[in-house]
Amino acid sequence: MAAAGDGPWLDDAAGRLVRPFTVSNGRTRPTVALDLLSQVMATGATPLGYLGPEHAQALDLCRVPKPVAEIAAHLKLPAVVTKVLLSDLVDCGALTTKPPAFQDHPTDRALLEAVLDGLRRQL
């Protein structure tokens, strides 16, 4: 069993020992509008107040711009919980966000066909 301060608090048999919404104190709504493709990056400012281990991990991951979805995957947390953590870091000035940049037509038929062909080869 992992000690209380080790990584994401996992137990091989039981799985995650701390439930995901405990990490966000039960909050399900971020204070900042974040899309799964929004880019977040550390500002270099030191956050004031207490940060949980997941906040610190998220901040560490954001040394270079990363999308919210990638951070959620690294943290092994649901996207909504990750958005709450990231919005906490934005609120205290430790992170900055950039909305996803979409082209005029975000669906490119050639790209979608290439993805479909790749999926068919995998099956």
Side-chain angles (χ1 to χ4, degrees):
M1 179 154 37
D6 291 346
W9 300 342
L10 296 175
D11 180 284
D12 291 335
R16 182 176 271 283
L17 298 176
V18 175
R19 296 291 173 227
F21 288 96
T22 304
V23 171
S24 64
N25 292 323
R27 294 174 293 147
T28 59
R29 298 214 172 143
T31 57
V32 176
L34 293 170
D35 186 274
L36 287 177
L37 298 177
S38 296
Q39 297 285 314
V40 291
M41 183 173 174
T43 61
T46 304
L48 300 174
Y50 172 76
L51 286 181
E54 288 81 5
H55 284 94
Q57 287 175 325
L59 190 55
D60 188 49
L61 289 168
C62 295
R63 286 189 222 157
V64 295
K66 282 199 173 57
V68 171
E70 185 175 336
I71 295 164
H74 281 287
L75 294 177
K76 296 182 173 107
L77 289 172
V80 68
V81 173
T82 302
K83 288 179 182 182
V84 170
L85 294 177
L86 295 174
S87 71
D88 291 346
L89 293 167
V90 169
D91 290 344
C92 72
L95 285 183
T96 186
T97 67
K98 181 179 173 189
F102 291 112
Q103 300 171 352
D104 290 337
H105 302 284
T107 54
D108 178 8
R109 183 176 177 93
L111 174 64
L112 293 174
E113 287 175 355
V115 169
L116 183 59
D117 289 342
L119 289 172
R120 285 182 179 147
R121 282 192 293 265
Q122 294 296 320
L123 300 174

